[in-house]
Amino acid sequence: ELRIFDLTGREIMKKEFIERESFKHKLAKELFGSWFMDQEKGNNEYCSVAQFAWRKNQGVHLELKFYLNDDPYYFENSEGLLDSKFDRGPLLFVPDICIFHKGTPIMLFEVVCTNPVSNEKKKRIEKFFNGFHIEVYEIYADEILRHCSIPEKINVRQII
């Protein structure tokens, strides 16, 4: 069962969770994420993929879950990250790819196939990171899959 809450703790959706990720979405997400993770493995302090640049800090993460009781300084201040029994509150959002800098996420990427990121998800992200710098990008799976290697520039849409 999947229960989704807004930032006040009010339940806004409840449904049985069914894995419905398409193969196309999964492949594009994993390929796009691998471009970022491969850059992090190098010896350079600064990394870049296409037009995106960042300084190594706390890594690149796929499908990192953000809960109501988490903190934007995710690894430093969020309790219960390693304890699966700890109640972190309701799940707010799960970006496809998350890049950190100085303890807080700075870039989130959402891979989409047919439907854009919902306004509700954008609102939850904006409210969670209120007062923090965050960039959220939407990228179509087809755009990722048309490249055989990391491009110099890739078509994305900044949504936050």
Side-chain angles (χ1 to χ4, degrees), residues 23-155:
F23 180 74
K24 180 189 217 179
H25 179 268
K26 179 178 173 46
L27 181 63
K29 173 185 66 188
E30 290 176 357
L31 175 62
F32 195 50
S34 74
W35 294 348
F36 289 95
M37 287 186 264
D38 287 349
Q39 295 299 308
E40 286 263 330
K41 291 177 187 171
N43 293 326
N44 296 332
E45 185 176 349
Y46 293 90
C47 302
S48 66
V49 167
Q51 65 266 39
F52 303 102
W54 71 102
R55 186 176 181 184
K56 279 190 202 177
N57 188 264
Q58 292 170 322
V60 174
H61 302 270
L62 268 62
E63 297 184 335
L64 190 64
K65 295 177 180 173
F66 289 83
Y67 292 86
L68 181 63
N69 296 332
D70 288 343
D71 188 279
Y73 283 100
Y74 193 81
F75 293 111
E76 285 94 350
N77 296 339
S78 296
E79 294 185 44
L81 294 177
L82 302 176
D83 181 359
S84 62
K85 295 177 184 164
F86 187 86
D87 182 12
R88 293 168 55 197
L91 180 65
L92 295 176
F93 56 92
V94 183
D96 288 324
I97 299 166
C98 181
I99 298 175
F100 281 78
H101 178 67
K102 293 189 176 179
T104 186
I106 56 163
M107 287 186 270
L108 305 179
F109 293 91
E110 290 290 342
V111 177
V112 295
C113 289
T114 53
N115 298 312
V117 176
S118 72
N119 286 331
E120 181 61 36
K121 185 172 188 177
K122 287 189 272 190
K123 287 176 188 173
R124 288 193 301 264
I125 293 169
E126 285 178 321
K127 191 164 185 178
F128 182 84
F129 289 108
N130 186 29
F132 290 83
H133 175 80
I134 187 72
E135 297 172 12
V136 181
Y137 297 92
E138 182 178 83
I139 182 167
Y140 280 90
D142 287 333
E143 173 64 13
I144 298 164
L145 296 174
R146 73 183 189 89
H147 297 280
C148 295
S149 60
I150 299 174
E152 289 183 25
K153 184 167 176 42
I154 194 160
N155 294 320

